[in-house]
Amino acid sequence: MASKYFDLTGDIVEFTRAHCPIVLSAVVGGVGLYFLRRYFAGGLCRSPARLDGKTVIITGANTGIGKETARDLAARGARVILACRDLTKAKTAAAEIRKSTGNGNIVIEQLDLASLASVRTFATIINEREPNVNILVNNAGVMMCPQWKTEDGFEMQFGTNHLGHFLLTNLLLDKLKKSAPSRVVIVSARLYDGGKINFDDINAERSYSPFGAYCQSKLANVLFMRELAQRLEGTGVTANALHPGVMNTELGRHVFTTYGWRALLMAPVVAIYYLFWKSVKQGAQTTIHLAVDKELETTSGLYFSDCMPCDLYPVGKDEATAKRLWQLSEEMVGLKE
């Protein structure tokens, strides 16, 4: 047995010597890939903060980074309300979170952000039942779907990603102010800088681009955060937005429906991205950081990535556009006649 071991070891050494450049390249490449993946994994929320006695609402919490955020905040002792469209998936997620964290205070409520009636019903339930809302995480979203409309006739991505959350946040503002210090955390995306608020065709009825509509909705998230933070100054309620990073979640589930065989042309790019995708747990870290870190209790109006504040591109700091978008959003969701 020992003889066979030494023979194998000798063969390995001999092979290594004979193919030194190839072996060295493989080792260097492997080590490099490891550290690249570590780099693209981004920052970690290192806050040990507890959330006992706090109530958290997370939209789209039945899957992806929403579910991972819910799991983390539940482990910190929070009462977590999973605000989800699909109650079957929400029940499964809630059961998993209860089991993995030992926190039984996980609540499910139906919320369809593509329906203003659903948003209003949800907000009414929360305002009547919950004594406090300490953290609101606007996480749910839809990406690059076909040219669909919401129940109220809005372009689906703008209606779900922005208008639904805009109405929800405004309907819960009094509760958030009463619960101060409290926080609004808005999940946007790096692609906001490719967006433009098309006020002349806000629902993309004349010209629809799945990608362009997604970028517009993510820019709307950032501009909403900026204007909201200004309006909340002095109330004890903060508002910040974030880019979670690139990862493989259900967010991209509509790409093949939208683009069909053309989606296959993206395969080489996706393959490269795959090497550097974050895990869902890694992708949730910035959301968690903004929700719990005590050093951010008074921080408001900023955009974060990898748990660090980032400078916004000019399109994300346009105050005139942010105010105009707020006014238009008020009219579209019925907050202002």
Side-chain angles (χ1 to χ4, degrees):
M1 188 72 177
S3 176
K4 290 182 179 180
Y5 171 77
F6 286 116
D7 287 345
L8 178 60
T9 302
D11 290 343
I12 293 174
V13 171
E14 184 177 342
F15 177 85
T16 302
R17 286 174 177 172
H19 302 85
C20 186
I22 297 175
V23 173
L24 185 60
S25 297
V27 171
V28 171
V31 172
L33 181 59
Y34 169 78
F35 281 105
L36 272 174
R37 286 187 64 86
R38 286 288 300 272
Y39 172 78
F40 283 103
L44 290 174
C45 175
R46 303 187 184 279
S47 171
R50 295 287 303 173
L51 296 177
D52 303 282
K54 305 291 186 182
T55 297
V56 179
I57 297 174
I58 305 173
T59 67
N62 61 289
T63 188
I65 61 174
K67 180 180 174 182
E68 191 58 43
T69 301
R71 188 194 313 277
D72 184 281
L73 303 192
R76 296 171 187 268
R79 171 178 170 82
V80 181
I81 300 173
L82 312 183
C84 306
R85 179 179 57 84
D86 190 324
L87 291 183
T88 300
K89 289 184 178 180
K91 289 175 182 176
T92 300
E96 292 177 4
I97 293 169
R98 292 186 191 107
K99 183 177 180 179
S100 63
T101 65
N103 183 348
N105 203 1
I106 311 299
V107 181
I108 300 168
E109 289 295 344
Q110 188 164 39
L111 172 64
D112 182 357
L113 289 160
S115 164
L116 298 183
S118 177
V119 174
R120 291 182 181 279
T121 298
F122 175 86
T124 298
I125 291 171
I126 297 301
N127 283 325
E128 291 180 351
R129 186 188 67 200
E130 301 296 328
N132 299 292
V133 173
N134 306 96
I135 302 168
L136 171 62
V137 181
N138 290 341
N139 165 80
V142 61
M143 182 177 77
M144 289 190 274
C145 62
Q147 192 173 9
W148 293 338
K149 298 291 185 181
T150 69
E151 179 179 286
D152 304 279
F154 307 132
E155 187 277 311
M156 182 62 76
Q157 297 184 79
F158 185 75
T160 300
N161 299 350
H162 170 61
L163 290 177
H165 283 124
F166 177 86
L167 177 60
L168 174 66
T169 304
N170 275 280
L171 293 178
L172 296 179
L173 273 186
D174 287 343
K175 186 70 67 175
L176 286 160
K177 291 175 183 177
K178 178 185 174 184
S179 309
S182 54
R183 310 182 187 198
V184 179
V185 179
I186 300 172
V187 179
S188 181
R190 171 67 176 75
L191 290 173
Y192 80 86
D193 70 305
K196 176 186 177 182
I197 307 300
N198 190 351
F199 290 105
D200 294 329
D201 187 23
I202 199 68
N203 286 311
E205 292 169 330
R206 293 197 294 269
S207 176
Y208 179 71
S209 160
F211 181 74
Y214 180 70
C215 293
Q216 174 179 251
S217 73
K218 294 292 100 179
L219 174 58
N221 290 156
V222 172
L223 295 174
F224 170 44
M225 175 275 292
R226 295 278 291 178
E227 181 67 14
L228 179 64
Q230 285 192 14
R231 291 170 178 254
L232 290 175
E233 285 183 5
T235 66
V237 184
T238 61
N240 293 288
L242 67 108
H243 168 55
V246 180
M247 69 211 79
N248 184 19
T249 69
E250 289 186 13
L251 184 62
R253 64 191 179 276
H254 299 304
V255 172
F256 279 95
T257 303
T258 302
Y259 292 102
W261 65 267
R262 291 172 296 171
L264 296 175
L265 300 176
M266 305 178 198
V269 176
V270 173
I272 294 172
Y273 265 114
Y274 180 76
L275 294 174
F276 309 111
W277 266 339
K278 292 183 177 183
S279 68
V280 173
K281 184 174 182 178
Q282 291 164 346
Q285 293 303 302
T286 305
T287 304
I288 296 166
H289 176 66
L290 289 176
V292 307
D293 197 301
K294 291 185 177 180
E295 294 184 4
L296 300 178
E297 190 167 287
T298 59
T299 298
S300 193
L302 298 184
Y303 176 78
F304 284 72
S305 179
D306 291 332
C307 299
M308 296 290 292
C310 302
D311 289 334
L312 283 165
Y313 287 92
V315 70
K317 296 188 288 187
D318 189 328
E319 293 187 8
T321 300
K323 292 183 185 302
R324 185 179 177 188
L325 175 64
W326 185 286
Q327 293 170 353
L328 175 63
S329 301
E330 282 184 321
E331 294 170 3
M332 293 179 76
V333 303
L335 287 177
K336 184 178 181 181
E337 299 299 332

